[in-house]
Amino acid sequence: MIQLTNIEKYYASKGVKNYVLRLVTTTINQGEFVSVMGPSGAGKSTLLNIIGMLEEPTYGNYHFMGEDVTSLNERKRIELYRNHIGFVFQAYHLIDEMTVYENIEAPLLYKKVGSAERASRIADLLDRFNIVAKKDLFPNQLSGGQQQLVGIARALAAQPSIILADEPTGNLQSAQAEEIMSLFKKLNEEEGITIIQVTHSEKNAQYGNRILHIADGLIKEDIKIQA
Amino acid sequence: MFRLNLKIALRNLWKNKVYATINIVGLALGLTAFVLMILYINHEESYDKWSPDLKNVYQIREKHDFFTPDNKEHWNEVSNSRIANLIRTKLPQAVAVTKVDNDWSFGSGYSVKTDNADPVMVNKIKDSDSSFFKVFDYQFVQGSADQALENKNTIVLKEDLALKLFGTTRALGKTIKIIRWRDDKGDLFTVTGIVSEPKTPQSVHFSAIMRTGNKDRDPDEPTNNNYCLMFTKLNKASDTLVLNQTLQKLYVDFRKNLLKGQEEDYEDMQKPKKLPGLKVIPLATVHSNPPYTLSWFEKLKPVMAISAFLLLVSIINFINLATAQSVQRAKEVGVKKVLGSYKSQLTAQFLVESGLQSLISLFLCIVLIEMVLPAFNQQFNVALSFWHNARLLVLIAQLVGLFVFVTLLAGLYPAWVLSNYNPVAVLKGNYENGLRGVVLRNVLVVFQFVISVTFIISIGVMEMQSRFMSSKDLGFERGNLINIKTNYEDNFAERLKKIPGVQYVATTTQVLGNSFNVPEEIKYKGKPIKLNTVTVTMDALPALGVKVLQGRIFSREYKSDTVNTVVLNEAAANLFGKNLIGQTYQKTDWEGKDNIFQVVGIIKNYHNEGFDKAVLPTVYKVTRLGGTSNTNNLLVRFNTAQHKEIISKIEKEWRMLYPNFPIEYNSLDDAFSKVLEENRRFMNMIVLFSLVSVSLSLLGLFALSTFVAKRKTKEIAVRKVLGASNIQIVSLLNKSFLILVVVANLVSWPVAYIIIKKWLEGFAYRIEVPFIPFAAATLISVIIAILTVSIQARKAAVTDPVNALKYE
């Protein structure tokens, strides 16, 4: 599903190349739950952003579902990730001026989903995450865990085949963190959604079935976890 | 999508109430000045456009020096009445030619009597000939254009006047009596038509058109001329360039013919470089091409520039505030991009937001206009209306255009900045591109302050000049003096003199409010001198209270005063030379006879027109020698300040003598305030613009200081942690802005100096450019700038540094 070949990312400053990623080559298949781990500044988030098409690699090839992402124009690329990828952030990044309902609805609007279909999908998600009662509240009226639930619901609304999560539990207390991680596991196992998460926590990494260790822009270890 | 964007836009406006208000109010202010200007321009543009038929109508203009303000040749609206016949007979394209009275500045109207009612003064009853309504296409409510003025002593009324006189517009066949001057016996006129008021204003504005028959013929004596307005309707719209060449030829022949057999022949006439001239101009351009004065467009140009500039400034302020605020919206942009929004969708969203704000501003602007229009109309003596506009559709189209223009101009840049945010950077909490555009913003603030400071300086100087004018020695005593609109008649004058409290009764052709210049050339010791002649009665100079510099003024004790003596004013005496008293000069009259005049006195110049005009070199005479002139001035000087009783006695005398004509008079105090009025109007307008300009620049400064305070949040926090006090922080922020304001002041001093010097040069009597307004403007601008910046600076200074630093 995702094929990275010799991905490099560097920033040139004063003639010196500062590498963030070097020669990253890996394949991630449909249905995997991958945790990317490593120290601060190792390039985890950059890798995730490249997979999510928010950043472009300086060098290398990236094939997503058989398409060469690096050769696509901006519009095509947006189309591709809007249809297949859901993002979840550490700081939730809900839009403050929108209600819970509207936040979940937003990606569907960009995807031009019909209004009846929109309503039923949102109702379904609200129901599944037990936040029906909160649908008219604004993000700042919710707890962190609840906000992240909305964040995940928003990511799922577009029915993506893959979810990219950048430290999804970094701002949460452990009980809430566990709840979110179980949710990811459930989504992965029951609905076959591919999940790639960046995490610092060994415990969270154990929810998945594969761990990529990154340091200084290189993949140091690629471990499969047996359930 | 659109609905959601609109919803978010509204929520955002609500969340940032203060900024939104500043944005909207600022824009509304700029728009108001601009839309007022549009209204005014529309009004001026709409002159003489009430019927498509008017495209073929042309005004005839002749080049001559009769009754021109400076006694020099100009293209005039009033032309020799004989030209009408010339065009009628010699120009085949002319379908119809009509002559009509001009608006003379003296005499406010005619007295009109219907049956047994009291006489009423009606303005703008104009004498014309049978062709008037064949040239001008008016809508007849009653009667018809073809027959209305077919006979003499007929009159066509506008609906308004018909209602005023008869209470109905069904007045066909009724008769009215028109008394044109005080002891006119009056003529009876039959109403033969009622026309409705056209939708647009008219250059030839009338309340009624009558046909006395005077306009049907020309004077018999070739040297006697009647001057009046003339219009012709051609069979098709024509090229005036070709037409005017034909006319010029016709005219030269006509002049030669007319003067044939006269002592002064055509060649002589050309000697003092006087070129004859005749031309026509399309009616549509008449209003925009007034003779001797600047057209409304020329007059308005600086004001238009200012109002366009104010609008631009308000838009740029809007942009400034929007981009300064954009940091808050960065996250939203980032998230939306991650969710799969195209850049164009985001741009559209932000355009919707600025569109919403400019729409609200536009509504606010309309409300403001509704509020200020009455005052505006009164100030500028116009009748503008927003809703009852003759061309409301055009106006609405203009406003829609303005809305789109403002929205795009104000919205595109912020939308572009916002939609260009890189989502990865933004979502990491790192949006440090605030430095962009700071230079531009600084330049803009300086620019705004240059304008504001220049305005403030101008107001100061104008105030000082108007004080100078209102307290200037006029050269005569304006108190206790009234001017009755009538000529001097012994019977009436004698009756007035008997009223206790009346000191002098006299007439002159030169007095503040109604001056009539009769140019003449005299010879003094062989040297030709051009003078302005004023005919006075014996008491006129003492009645005015002029100051005698040398010799004496007229008195009954001297028999010679009714024979050949004259008094000069200072300006005239300066042209003659020294030791004038007792000297004589000659003047050749039109019959070629030499008359000798003796100078008996010199008086101080006294003002008889606005301060923009220098007092003309003038000779005053009582004698009829060399011809006299006469205008409707009857000066009555009181020796007490208790006017009311005396005036009611004067009115009583008047009613007894002239029952058919209402009395009209004004005090010289009023005439004086009228002279100052135009200047006061101009000043009020400048004050208005300054208010808008100053508030806009304060808004701009506020925006910039907000922006800078935000950008420096971290710096301020670090400084506070390091131990800076609140005052130190406030002054830190103030310092950078003070530099801008000081720079603006340095720029505006020379600019203001040049403008003000030029303005003052428009006055023949003026102050030197004073220093105080410059210093005051600088002080004021610095103080208000500090106050404005401190609002933001204080806010930034008192915030808890921990909050600011936590982000990093």
Side-chain angles (χ1 to χ4, degrees):
Chain A
M1 181 179 205
I2 291 170
Q3 253 188 314
L4 299 169
T5 325
N6 292 331
I7 295 290
E8 300 219 324
K9 179 86 183 176
Y10 59 78
Y11 298 98
S13 78
K14 291 173 189 163
V16 180
K17 288 179 182 174
N18 291 315
Y19 278 94
V20 185
L21 291 174
R22 307 191 81 149
L23 297 172
V24 171
T25 302
T26 190
T27 305
I28 293 166
N29 293 317
Q30 180 82 46
E32 279 192 291
F33 187 160
V34 182
S35 302
V36 181
M37 297 190 73
S40 285
K44 307 179 300 272
S45 295
T46 306
L47 181 62
L48 202 68
N49 285 338
I50 287 175
I51 293 173
M53 302 174 206
L54 301 178
E55 274 185 79
E56 283 182 67
T58 329
Y59 180 81
N61 271 316
Y62 171 20
H63 285 264
F64 182 85
M65 300 181 92
E67 282 208 70
D68 184 359
V69 175
T70 38
S71 69
L72 292 177
N73 69 19
E74 196 192 352
R75 253 188 127 76
K76 276 267 166 57
R77 215 164 52 231
I78 291 175
E79 199 125 355
L80 195 62
Y81 76 67
R82 149 206 293 177
N83 284 327
H84 297 288
I85 303 177
F87 292 88
V88 175
F89 303 94
Q90 173 176 10
Y92 330 125
H93 288 329
L94 301 176
I95 296 175
D96 299 331
E97 286 75 31
M98 294 188 189
T99 61
V100 166
Y101 187 96
E102 287 160 356
N103 262 293
I104 300 174
E105 190 183 27
L108 300 176
L109 289 170
Y110 293 120
K111 241 181 122 173
K112 301 220 158 54
V113 175
S115 70
E117 167 81 11
R118 262 189 344 247
S120 83
R121 277 202 211 175
I122 298 164
D124 182 45
L125 283 166
L126 290 170
D127 196 35
R128 235 163 85 193
F129 291 173
N130 269 326
I131 45 177
V132 178
K134 309 238 157 31
K135 73 176 168 59
D136 290 325
L137 297 182
F138 286 94
N140 57 15
Q141 294 167 301
L142 300 175
S143 74
Q146 286 165 338
Q147 287 191 48
Q148 193 58 296
L149 276 181
V150 176
I152 295 169
R154 181 179 67 183
L156 289 173
Q159 298 181 331
S161 42
I162 176 167
I163 283 183
L164 303 178
D166 194 346
E167 302 208 36
T169 60
N171 285 9
L172 297 180
Q173 290 158 2
S174 54
Q176 291 173 321
E178 269 172 43
E179 195 186 328
I180 297 294
M181 288 319 296
S182 320
L183 180 61
F184 275 148
K185 196 172 171 67
K186 202 169 135 206
L187 287 171
N188 177 247
E189 285 171 356
E190 291 176 9
E191 300 183 28
I193 296 174
T194 312
I195 292 173
I196 304 175
Q197 69 161 340
V198 166
T199 182
H200 277 297
S201 145
E202 197 65 46
K203 191 175 153 211
N204 285 351
Q206 297 303 325
Y207 282 88
N209 44 32
R210 182 177 168 193
I211 297 175
L212 285 175
H213 276 284
I214 295 186
D216 300 330
L218 292 163
I219 298 183
K220 296 281 185 188
E221 263 185 306
D222 188 348
I223 308 164
K224 289 256 180 326
I225 300 171
Q226 300 308 319
Chain B
M1 178 77 88
F2 178 78
R3 258 181 54 200
L4 186 65
N5 279 345
L6 198 68
K7 223 160 91 192
I8 294 181
L10 282 171
R11 282 178 195 154
N12 255 314
L13 288 185
W14 186 244
K15 205 170 124 193
N16 302 308
K17 285 181 276 279
V18 179
Y19 293 99
T21 311
I22 289 176
N23 261 348
I24 289 169
V25 170
L27 207 51
L29 280 177
L31 278 173
T32 305
F34 195 75
V35 172
L36 273 180
M37 190 55 48
I38 289 181
L39 280 179
Y40 191 79
I41 291 173
N42 282 352
H43 172 79
E44 296 288 318
E45 275 279 299
S46 68
Y47 262 82
D48 300 320
K49 305 253 161 70
W50 72 89
S51 158
D53 209 36
L54 298 169
K55 274 206 288 288
N56 300 345
V57 177
Y58 294 81
Q59 188 186 45
I60 295 160
R61 289 196 177 182
E62 189 190 3
K63 201 174 185 182
H64 59 74
D65 63 0
F66 173 74
F67 210 73
T68 57
D70 52 1
N71 295 330
K72 288 192 185 117
E73 275 201 334
H74 289 276
W75 284 106
N76 278 280
E77 283 195 295
V78 286
S79 313
N80 190 324
S81 63
R82 290 187 183 88
I83 290 167
N85 204 33
L86 175 74
I87 290 180
R88 199 176 288 132
T89 51
K90 298 274 171 61
L91 194 73
Q93 296 100 305
V95 180
V97 185
T98 186
K99 300 185 262 186
V100 60
D101 281 343
N102 190 21
D103 282 318
W104 299 107
S105 49
F106 48 82
S108 69
Y110 297 145
S111 170
V112 174
K113 274 194 80 164
T114 49
D115 300 332
N116 298 321
D118 280 335
V120 283
M121 285 303 284
V122 178
N123 289 329
K124 293 187 183 291
I125 296 182
K126 292 187 176 170
D127 190 13
S128 186
D129 51 28
S130 58
S131 306
F132 185 84
F133 290 104
K134 288 167 188 152
V135 173
F136 292 102
D137 178 34
Y138 276 88
Q139 196 73 42
F140 273 75
V141 180
Q142 289 199 293
S144 77
D146 292 336
Q147 283 148 28
L149 295 175
E150 216 170 28
N151 301 310
K152 271 192 198 172
N153 290 338
T154 52
I155 188 164
V156 173
L157 310 177
K158 276 232 180 107
E159 271 179 311
D160 281 354
L161 183 60
L163 280 174
K164 185 177 164 191
L165 293 176
F166 302 107
T168 167
T169 56
R170 310 191 59 80
L172 213 60
K174 297 200 177 177
T175 52
I176 58 176
K177 190 174 196 181
I178 295 180
I179 303 101
R180 274 177 287 172
W181 59 89
R182 191 199 52 200
D183 38 16
D184 181 18
K185 287 193 297 297
D187 293 301
L188 288 172
F189 288 86
T190 311
V191 177
T192 51
I194 309 285
V195 292
S196 59
E197 182 74 39
K199 281 209 173 65
T200 66
Q202 308 118 61
S203 302
V204 184
H205 193 56
F206 65 88
S207 57
I209 293 288
M210 61 180 175
R211 183 177 171 202
T212 57
N214 291 344
K215 289 277 179 291
D216 297 346
R217 51 172 196 275
D218 300 318
D220 299 328
E221 274 291 317
T223 46
N224 276 0
N225 296 319
N226 269 341
Y227 284 89
C228 58
L229 296 175
M230 258 174 260
F231 297 88
T232 179
K233 183 176 180 179
L234 305 182
N235 49 14
K236 59 182 194 308
S238 315
D239 180 2
T240 48
L241 216 65
V242 181
L243 195 61
N244 285 337
Q245 281 171 357
T246 319
L247 281 174
Q248 182 69 18
K249 261 185 231 126
L250 286 176
Y251 183 66
V252 170
D253 289 345
F254 155 77
R255 296 289 299 199
K256 282 181 180 161
N257 260 328
L258 189 68
L259 294 166
K260 205 183 282 170
Q262 297 296 315
E263 286 173 31
E264 184 186 31
D265 69 7
Y266 177 74
E267 266 69 34
D268 280 347
M269 279 235 6
Q270 309 318 315
K271 263 186 206 154
K273 281 191 89 177
K274 283 184 177 177
L275 285 171
L278 184 69
K279 66 172 182 180
V280 292
I281 63 169
L283 181 66
T285 64
V286 166
H287 181 66
S288 50
N289 291 296
Y292 353 111
T293 52
L294 285 176
S295 71
W296 63 267
F297 188 76
E298 290 296 322
K299 276 189 205 156
L300 220 57
K301 251 188 192 166
V303 181
M304 282 193 270
I306 294 172
S307 66
F309 194 83
L310 287 182
L311 178 63
L312 199 65
V313 165
S314 65
I315 289 173
I316 298 173
N317 272 342
F318 185 97
I319 295 172
N320 256 349
L321 263 179
T323 40
Q325 250 189 296
S326 65
V327 173
Q328 293 182 359
R329 309 292 300 275
K331 185 181 127 192
E332 182 188 333
V333 173
V335 173
K336 284 195 168 165
K337 280 196 166 178
V338 167
L339 292 181
S341 159
Y342 295 132
K343 228 171 84 177
S344 55
Q345 286 172 312
L346 288 170
T347 311
Q349 182 200 333
F350 291 114
L351 276 181
V352 166
E353 289 192 18
S354 50
L356 190 68
Q357 295 184 58
S358 51
L359 194 65
I360 299 174
S361 315
L362 199 60
F363 278 116
L364 191 60
C365 148
I366 292 172
V367 172
L368 279 175
I369 283 182
E370 281 292 298
M371 272 159 50
V372 300
L373 253 191
F376 185 88
N377 281 339
Q378 210 202 349
Q379 271 299 315
F380 300 103
N381 211 4
V382 284
L384 302 183
S385 159
F386 191 86
W387 298 112
H388 305 284
N389 202 297
R391 304 198 292 179
L392 190 61
L393 277 179
V394 177
L395 181 66
I396 288 172
Q398 285 167 333
L399 289 184
V400 170
L402 190 63
F403 164 71
V404 172
F405 174 76
V406 167
T407 303
L408 288 182
L409 211 57
L412 267 183
Y413 180 71
W416 180 76
V417 167
L418 275 166
S419 57
N420 261 330
Y421 275 124
N422 176 3
V424 175
V426 162
L427 294 181
K428 260 188 208 151
N430 172 18
Y431 15 79
E432 257 315 316
N433 50 4
L435 261 171
R436 206 166 37 185
V438 163
V439 175
L440 180 81
R441 271 168 221 164
N442 284 347
V443 169
L444 194 90
V445 166
V446 170
F447 216 27
Q448 291 175 356
F449 266 84
V450 168
I451 296 182
S452 297
V453 171
T454 308
F455 268 129
I456 297 174
I457 295 174
S458 312
I459 292 176
V461 176
M462 288 169 98
E463 176 63 35
M464 289 172 84
Q465 168 72 11
S466 12
R467 270 196 212 155
F468 165 77
M469 290 191 295
S470 48
S471 63
K472 183 168 188 325
D473 177 14
L474 294 174
F476 73 94
E477 303 296 328
R478 65 182 153 89
N480 300 337
L481 187 59
I482 65 164
N483 184 3
I484 301 173
K485 211 164 260 179
T486 178
N487 52 8
Y488 190 90
E489 207 225 20
D490 282 330
N491 180 18
F492 183 56
E494 289 311 317
R495 282 166 185 248
L496 292 193
K497 279 177 191 164
K498 286 191 190 118
I499 296 172
V502 171
Q503 195 179 358
Y504 294 112
V505 180
T507 184
T508 169
T509 54
Q510 188 193 57
V511 64
L512 201 65
N514 182 15
S515 287
F516 181 76
N517 298 328
V518 182
E520 68 172 20
E521 195 178 288
I522 58 104
K523 271 209 170 78
Y524 175 64
K525 294 182 177 168
K527 180 175 75 167
I529 297 175
K530 281 198 166 135
L531 291 176
N532 173 38
T533 317
V534 168
T535 311
V536 295
T537 52
M538 211 60 104
D539 286 338
L541 294 178
L544 283 166
V546 298
K547 294 180 184 68
V548 183
L549 295 177
Q550 280 179 51
R552 59 173 181 87
I553 47 179
F554 305 117
S555 163
R556 285 192 179 75
E557 296 159 28
Y558 302 90
K559 280 277 178 278
S560 61
D561 281 0
T562 54
V563 182
N564 73 338
T565 59
V566 296
V567 169
L568 300 178
N569 71 359
E570 224 179 329
N574 289 340
L575 296 177
F576 278 76
K578 291 215 164 74
N579 300 323
L580 265 175
I581 306 300
Q583 300 284 357
T584 58
Y585 69 81
Q586 337 163 12
K587 155 131 198 338
T588 316
D589 67 9
W590 62 274
E591 287 170 323
K593 214 171 86 195
D594 272 354
N595 296 316
I596 310 288
F597 295 92
Q598 188 188 26
V599 179
V600 295
I602 297 170
I603 58 167
K604 197 167 175 233
N605 290 342
Y606 71 87
H607 287 275
N608 52 75
E609 292 195 77
F611 291 98
D612 50 336
K613 296 193 186 77
V615 176
L616 292 172
T618 306
V619 50
Y620 302 87
K621 62 191 187 68
V622 175
T623 162
R624 305 186 71 84
L625 190 66
T628 63
S629 53
N630 185 8
T631 55
N632 283 340
N633 286 320
L634 188 69
L635 299 177
V636 182
R637 156 80 61 192
F638 307 146
N639 54 18
T640 151
Q642 310 300 318
H643 300 176
K644 231 177 172 170
E645 207 183 324
I646 308 174
I647 286 173
S648 69
K649 280 181 184 151
I650 293 175
E651 280 173 340
K652 214 170 118 196
E653 292 292 341
W654 177 280
R655 265 199 301 276
M656 263 162 51
L657 275 178
Y658 319 112
N660 286 335
F661 205 85
I663 187 170
E664 280 181 288
Y665 65 90
N666 65 359
S667 74
L668 265 289
D669 279 330
D670 290 345
F672 181 59
S673 8
K674 219 170 170 184
V675 165
L676 297 179
E677 192 179 72
E678 193 182 345
N679 190 52
R680 191 183 52 84
R681 267 192 198 146
F682 183 67
M683 199 169 140
N684 282 345
M685 187 176 68
I686 296 295
V687 169
L688 185 80
F689 274 126
S690 321
L691 277 180
V692 175
S693 158
V694 170
S695 31
L696 282 179
S697 31
L698 289 184
L699 287 182
L701 193 66
F702 185 74
L704 191 65
S705 60
T706 310
F707 177 76
V708 170
K710 272 225 174 87
R711 201 167 54 95
K712 292 197 168 170
T713 310
K714 192 174 144 199
E715 181 190 335
I716 291 168
V718 172
R719 279 175 190 272
K720 281 194 80 170
V721 170
L722 295 177
S725 72
N726 288 350
I727 305 266
Q728 280 169 319
I729 302 263
V730 170
S731 60
L732 168 84
L733 283 169
N734 261 320
K735 214 159 60 189
S736 52
F737 292 108
L738 268 189
I739 293 169
L740 297 183
V741 175
V742 169
V743 167
N745 271 292
L746 289 182
V747 175
S748 53
W749 278 34
V751 172
Y753 182 82
I754 292 167
I755 294 175
I756 277 162
K757 206 161 161 47
K758 198 152 176 242
W759 181 73
L760 282 176
E761 273 163 11
F763 293 92
Y765 304 91
R766 58 177 178 257
I767 51 172
E768 286 301 306
V769 178
F771 174 73
I772 296 169
F774 288 80
T778 302
L779 197 68
I780 291 171
S781 62
V782 166
I783 289 175
I784 53 179
I786 290 180
L787 286 179
T788 311
V789 174
S790 296
I791 296 173
Q792 278 303 314
R794 203 195 67 91
K795 226 189 207 163
V798 298
T799 46
D800 190 345
V802 176
N803 289 333
L805 293 177
K806 215 161 57 182
Y807 274 109
E808 300 301 315

